[in-house]
Each structure stands twice: as structure tokens, then as C-alpha cells.
Amino acid sequence: MTQQINTGLIADHNAQAAARVNLDYETLGEQLARRGVDIAVLKADVAKFAVAVPSWGVGTGGTRFARFPGLGEPRHVFDKIQDCGVIQQLVRCTPTVSPHFPWDKVSDYKELRQHAEANGVGFDAVNSNTFSDQKDQPLSYKFGSLTHADAGVRAQAVAHNLECIEIGKQLGSKALTVWIGDGANFPGQSHFRRQFERYLDSNRQIYDALPADWRMFLEHKMFEPAFYATVIQDWGSSLLAAQTLGPKARCLVDLGHHAPNTNIEMIVARLVHAQKLAGFHFNDSKYGDDDLDSGSINPFQLFLVFNELVDAAQTGAAEFDPAYMLDQSHNVTDPIESLMTSAVTVQRCYAQALLVDRKALTAYQDSNDVLMAAQTLKQAFHTDVTPLLQKIRMDAGGAADPVAAYRASGYRKQMAAIRPASGPSSGIV
Ligand code: RM4
Ligand code: MN
Ligand code: MN
């Protein structure tokens, strides 16, 4: 296996941190023991947690006004996979990459799969793209794709999704994520009901082509690129579509795709109830689809989402097997640093949610002790599990402090020497 970061460097870095981490871990263990929690049991559970990295997240993003490229940006999917390998090497909780097509299209998928294996990562859900036109594409998605008024455009969009399934099979994926930009910018532009019927009709064709052990993740988004109405604008439309299509179709929750202040954790609870929760695109936002680093704005919300997830797992909710993925855009940070930090933040929220005293919480809820119910959640949220996460990483060969080890390695500088600068451009992801 190719280890991009020198393993000796990681070992030295960890050796320097070991005494401090061990002491902090012991102290945390004592604290948790007083609360009836066995830190070793917690550690084994958290060590199993994994979140996928988006292939499109390792390049520098931008806004619709400008994009300011970073140094040593990946030139193609092979470079992207290499960067994802670096992330996994240092954090050890990102063993898979979610690819996006046609952005990540290659001529030889066997080679791509081998390259990923060599870099210590596998593949998660494949994403289709019918929200932008590609070079040499016969028909345009300017006025929609899967829901376009023209049957020919719809057929082209369906065919692209079928191709994504075929590629996914070769990469070892088990799910197709469908997010479309279809919608309207003006009242009257499109017929709401007919458009939704066309969505179902197109997706039926994609659904029917899914292998038996595959899932279809339907991703909703309130706005953008359509600013008046989006076809799958919220979890209501998404659930309706998933229920109409069948058991393999589920609803994917991208945290940034809601209006500010939306109670996302409650949406999660409803989707768990309906046995339709596909999984997540984690990120954070202040206004709308800002695609900021997970937990950078509202870590409590992320914790509350995990509170629902842990509760669902512990109560044995049916059909509960969510896929965890990051979906972020890094405009002003090194994408590798942001993705490492974000993965650890998501892992942290999972660990904190495991610390909720659920017996006490249920008792407080049932006796209407509102203050103590709220405090029970806060006690878990306020617990600093940093030494636990450090220990898990170090045991697995990752770094005590992934960003510090990454910076010390000089990886970005090395890449800047190999990968040519892309120059300023407009356009986002
Ligand atoms: C969308 C959505 C999709 C992602 C694209 C790049 O807003 O979040 O999941 O594939 O962005
Ligand atoms: Mn997304
Ligand atoms: Mn998005």
C-alpha cells in the first residue's frame, strides 16, 4: 500500500503526544466511570464509526462570484483519491470515497479501483450529475433533466444515471445518490404536479435498473440552482417519492439543504420512523447550502442529529442503516485539513451522543422534568472526548493531531511542485 505520509513521521508525532494523551484518556475514563460508562466499551464502539469523503471536496471550491485556487490541487480523480488516502491515513475514520460522475469518469475503472485500494480507500455511493451540461452532450439540462418537459432530455438524464450504476458496480459501490437541480425560477414556469410525475417516471426507470442489494438515495434541496421552486425541495417530497418508488429508495439528508433554523434532527426522527432514512451529506451552514465544515457553525445541531441516530440504533429501529458522507466546499482552507477536521467532528458528535444517559432522559421526559431532560443532553454534549478520539486514531496508526502531522509532512508543498496551478476561475462546487 502507498502511504503518502511518512509513517515514521506519524510515529514520532504520536510518540511526542503519547504521555499527554494517555493521561487525558485516563482522566476521561475516571470521569465517565463515575457516570457508569466504561470507556473501553465506548472506545470500541466509536472506533467502528466511519464517514465517506466526497471526491469533489478535495479540490478548492468557490462561489458564483469567484474561485481562488489553492496550491497543489488534484488534477483528476487519481489525484483526488490520493488526497483522500492522506485523509484516511491520518484520521482513520474515512475509509471510503463517494465519487461524482461524469467529473470522475475514467476509461479503466479496474485501474481506478486498484488505485483506491493502493491508497487505502474504497468507494461509497456514486453520485450522478444532471445539474450541469458536459462537453459534447447532445441535449441541455438548462431547463431540467429527469423532470424536463422534453422526453428526449429525460431519456438522456436516465441513461446517465444507468451509466453511473454500471460504473458503481465496477467500483464496488452499493448506492446511487440522485440530486437534481430541476425546478423553476418563476411562478408559472413549470407545472408542479406534472413535473413531479415526470420525476417519478424517470426515477422508476433508474430504480428498476438497481441491483438487488443497491439503494437509491434521493437528496432534497430547498433552493439553488432553482430559486422559486425545486422539484424535490424538502423531505416531504423526498419521502413521497421514496415511498412511491419502493423499498430500495430512501431519503438523503444534506444538512445544508434546509431553511435556516429548520429542525433537522426532527426530520431525521420522522425518516427513521418511516424506515426511509438513506443517510447524510454532512456540512454546516449559516444561511443556505453554505457547504461549510461540519460542526463549524452549529455543533449542537450535529450532536442532536446523532442523538436521534444513536437512539434509533439502540432501540433497534427497523431498516436503520444510514450512510454517512461529507459534502462540503472549501473556499478558504486547505481541503485536506477541512475534511480531516470535519470527519473528526462528526465522529466526535457520534461519541458524545453515545454518552447521553438514555434511561435518565426517558425518565425525565416521562415525568415532564423539562430542565433535567435538557441538561441530560447538555451533559453529554459538554463532555470533551478529544483524548478518546486521539487514542482511537493512534491505535489505528493515524495521528494524534491530524492537522499538525499533515502540516509537518509538507504534503501540500510536495503536491504544489508536481501539480500545476489551475489559475483563477469562476464556478462552484
Ligand atoms: C448539491 C448537492 C449534491 C452535490 C452537489 C455538488 O448542492 O449537495 O449532493 O452532489 O451539490
Ligand atoms: Mn449534498
Ligand atoms: Mn449541496
Side-chain angles (χ1 to χ4, degrees):
M1 213 183 85
T2 329
Q3 306 270 24
Q4 296 298 335
I5 308 294
N6 184 298
T7 48
L9 180 139
I10 300 175
D12 287 350
H13 164 87
N14 286 345
Q16 273 182 34
R20 181 173 37 85
V21 171
N22 286 334
L23 187 64
D24 291 350
Y25 180 78
E26 253 173 59
T27 310
L28 177 63
E30 279 167 23
Q31 232 185 77
L32 294 180
R34 286 197 292 276
R35 281 153 57 177
V37 176
D38 182 343
I39 196 168
V41 175
L42 179 71
K43 182 165 172 270
D45 199 335
V46 178
K48 284 185 253 157
F49 182 83
V51 58
V53 172
S55 69
W56 61 102
V58 285
T60 307
T63 68
R64 67 197 171 90
F65 302 104
R67 190 184 88 92
F68 301 96
L71 287 177
E73 285 188 71
R75 294 158 294 184
H76 40 60
V77 66
F78 287 91
D79 283 352
K80 292 183 201 171
I81 294 290
Q82 183 185 313
D83 288 0
C84 294
V86 169
I87 296 169
Q88 165 63 355
Q89 197 190 344
L90 294 170
V91 300
R92 300 286 162 172
C93 62
T94 55
T96 53
V97 179
S98 190
H100 218 310
F101 297 101
W103 292 335
D104 296 332
K105 230 171 158 170
V106 292
S107 53
D108 185 348
Y109 289 100
K110 212 171 137 206
E111 188 190 0
L112 183 62
R113 195 174 179 171
Q114 280 165 358
H115 176 71
E117 272 163 28
N119 279 279
V121 290
F123 287 98
D124 219 290
V126 289
N127 298 259
S128 61
N129 175 348
T130 61
F131 48 83
S132 64
D133 286 349
Q134 308 303 321
K135 232 181 23 241
D136 306 327
Q137 182 184 306
L139 302 167
S140 173
Y141 295 134
K142 180 170 181 178
F143 296 108
S145 60
L146 292 174
T147 78
H148 199 286
D150 184 283
V153 180
R154 296 202 298 279
Q156 178 182 281
V158 168
H160 167 64
N161 277 277
L162 300 187
E163 189 191 356
C164 286
I165 296 173
E166 288 311 311
I167 295 171
K169 282 189 206 166
Q170 296 179 62
L171 294 179
S173 297
K174 292 276 176 228
L176 169 72
T177 301
V178 181
W179 173 71
I180 54 167
D182 298 32
N185 272 21
F186 290 87
Q189 183 182 332
S190 43
H191 189 283
F192 287 149
R193 280 186 297 125
R194 277 204 291 275
Q195 198 174 40
F196 187 63
E197 281 157 19
R198 292 195 290 261
Y199 175 83
L200 291 174
D201 183 63
S202 296
N203 268 330
R204 163 72 55 213
Q205 297 168 53
I206 301 166
Y207 184 93
D208 287 345
L210 287 173
D213 59 345
W214 270 54
R215 290 204 181 130
M216 190 168 174
F217 297 164
L218 309 180
E219 181 176 358
H220 61 270
K221 180 172 178 176
M222 187 187 65
F223 78 110
E224 199 202 25
F227 288 105
Y228 164 63
T230 290
V231 181
I232 303 297
Q233 92 286 13
D234 68 3
W235 69 281
S237 293
S238 180
L239 180 61
L240 198 55
Q243 283 175 333
T244 306
L245 288 169
K248 286 188 261 182
R250 296 192 176 184
C251 310
L252 184 128
V253 179
D254 181 312
L255 298 194
H257 289 186
H258 305 85
N261 297 328
T262 298
N263 190 333
I264 299 175
E265 58 272 23
M266 194 169 169
I267 293 172
V268 171
R270 289 291 180 269
L271 291 176
V272 170
H273 168 87
Q275 303 180 13
K276 282 294 189 190
L277 179 67
F280 295 86
H281 274 176
F282 292 117
N283 51 46
D284 214 335
S285 68
K286 180 73 179 162
Y287 301 104
D289 195 31
D290 298 318
D291 276 328
L292 299 170
D293 291 19
S294 297
S296 62
I297 305 283
N298 193 350
F300 191 49
Q301 173 179 261
L302 190 57
F303 163 79
L304 291 174
V305 165
F306 272 97
N307 177 49
E308 294 304 324
L309 297 173
V310 167
D311 182 85
Q314 291 185 354
T315 52
E319 297 292 323
F320 180 74
D321 180 22
Y324 298 135
M325 294 168 275
L326 297 169
D327 180 4
Q328 305 182 162
S329 176
H330 315 102
N331 305 344
V332 291
T333 53
D334 180 322
I336 290 181
E337 294 188 6
S338 269
L339 287 163
M340 291 195 299
T341 311
S342 302
V344 172
T345 298
V346 175
Q347 183 193 38
R348 174 185 301 274
C349 285
Y350 174 60
Q352 288 171 320
L354 284 171
L355 289 176
V356 172
D357 184 343
R358 288 186 193 275
K359 242 172 105 184
L361 181 62
T362 305
Y364 292 136
Q365 288 171 342
D366 291 349
S367 62
N368 296 312
D369 192 337
V370 180
L371 187 112
M372 286 310 293
Q375 285 305 308
T376 303
L377 291 185
K378 280 291 173 69
Q379 185 196 39
F381 178 65
H382 287 150
T383 309
D384 183 4
V385 295
T386 304
L388 173 82
L389 307 184
Q390 287 176 315
K391 198 105 172 103
I392 289 171
R393 275 197 300 278
M394 289 162 78
D395 284 1
D401 181 340
V403 172
Y406 169 76
R407 289 188 176 189
S409 77
Y411 177 79
R412 183 60 70 188
K413 242 175 115 185
Q414 289 162 29
M415 291 309 112
I418 302 169
R419 304 172 179 173
S422 56
S425 61
S426 63
I428 53 163
V429 160

